Amino acid sequence: KVNLKEPNATWTKVDIMGENLEKIAYHAGAEINGFYYIVGGQNETLQTLNTIQVFDITQETLSEKIELDVEKFPPLESHTVNVNAETNSLIIYGGISGKELNRHIYCFDVQKKEMKNLTANLKDEETPPPRQDHAAVIYNNALYIYGGLGLDNKIYDDMWKYDFSSNAWTEIRTEAQQKKYDKK
């Protein structure tokens, strides 16, 4: 951990008390109310996970490991996790599960410990191409995604907006991108 308020901020190793966190890579996480939620990833045996490890930041302990139903949430790696402050939930997008790229948005309610697929009813042509290793942020009740790695290692330079209220995606084109599309 590091305290950025200190003038000469330095890193300090956290000795986790109790049960240890599982060693993983290609995961994503976010903080809500003093708890760090670590979603998915790949473990030491190269198994892709569909778990959420909950780390209590104040107590510096693993407070819970949530095993999710594969029918409701696939094992994922190289995805993003953001916090929707309005609903006190984690928003999980993209990533890869096995050899399939994910195009869905999942919402994990941290109070109810329930996962649901927000975009299950959208047709493929109503969504961005599936991707992993992208960037994402939530702003004004919308999820914005940028770039990433698609099928056949295609690198994206596109930006998309998902509106939580209307359950709809919109591509956002910069002036340069619009000129590229106009030439086609």
Side-chain angles (χ1 to χ4, degrees), residues 68 73 100 103 111 123 168:
L68 297 165
F73 182 69
E100 278 192 41
R103 68 177 350 121
Q111 299 300 321
K123 296 177 179 133

Side-chain angles (χ1 to χ4, degrees), residues 111-124:
Q111 299 300 321
K112 296 178 184 175
K113 294 183 177 51
E114 292 177 352
M115 182 73 77
K116 69 178 175 180
N117 183 338
L118 298 180
T119 56
N121 296 326
L122 295 180
K123 296 177 179 133
D124 287 354

Side-chain angles (χ1 to χ4, degrees), residues 40-55:
Q42 188 182 89
N43 68 14
E44 290 181 293
T45 63
L46 305 181
Q47 176 188 12
T48 302
L49 307 172
N50 69 331
T51 60
I52 298 178
Q53 296 183 74
V54 185
F55 180 73

Side-chain angles (χ1 to χ4, degrees), residues 71-84:
E71 297 295 319
K72 293 187 178 184
F73 182 69
L76 279 181
E77 58 185 80
S78 302
H79 52 286
T80 53
V81 174
N82 293 93
V83 174
N84 186 336

